């Protein structure tokens, strides 16, 4: 039983350490302002002009 709990505690500690490192790497990543993201999405979208279509 002691072996089980010692292995469990070691795995939980490793998991906590990996989670801390991964959360720290997310915070240091570059973040774009929302306006830049919205402008990039709008500029990539194709606008449809229905007034220039020919009617049969």
């Amino acid at each position: 039983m002691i072996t089980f709990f010692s292995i469990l505690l070691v795995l939980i500690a490793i998991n906590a350490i990996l989670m801390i490192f991964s959360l720290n790497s997310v915070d240091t990543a570059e973040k774009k302002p929302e306006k830049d993201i919205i402008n990039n999405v709008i500029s990539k979208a194709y606008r449809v002009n229905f007034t220039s279509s020919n009617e049969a």
Side-chain angles (χ1 to χ4, degrees), residues 47-56:
R47 294 202 169 100
V48 179
N49 188 0
F50 291 109
T51 58
S52 65
S53 62
N54 295 333
E55 294 184 21

Side-chain angles (χ1 to χ4, degrees), residues 3-53:
T3 306
F4 171 75
F5 283 122
S6 62
I7 293 173
L8 182 67
L9 289 176
V10 168
L11 290 176
I12 290 173
I14 292 172
N15 190 16
I17 291 170
L18 290 175
M19 186 171 56
I20 289 170
F21 282 129
S22 67
L23 289 176
N24 285 339
S25 67
V26 169
D27 290 340
T28 59
E30 291 184 21
K31 295 180 180 177
K32 282 187 166 183
E34 289 185 17
K35 289 182 179 181
D36 290 343
I37 295 173
I38 292 172
N39 288 337
N40 287 340
V41 170
I42 291 174
S43 65
K44 290 179 183 177
Y46 294 101
R47 294 202 169 100
V48 179
N49 188 0
F50 291 109
T51 58
S52 65
S53 62

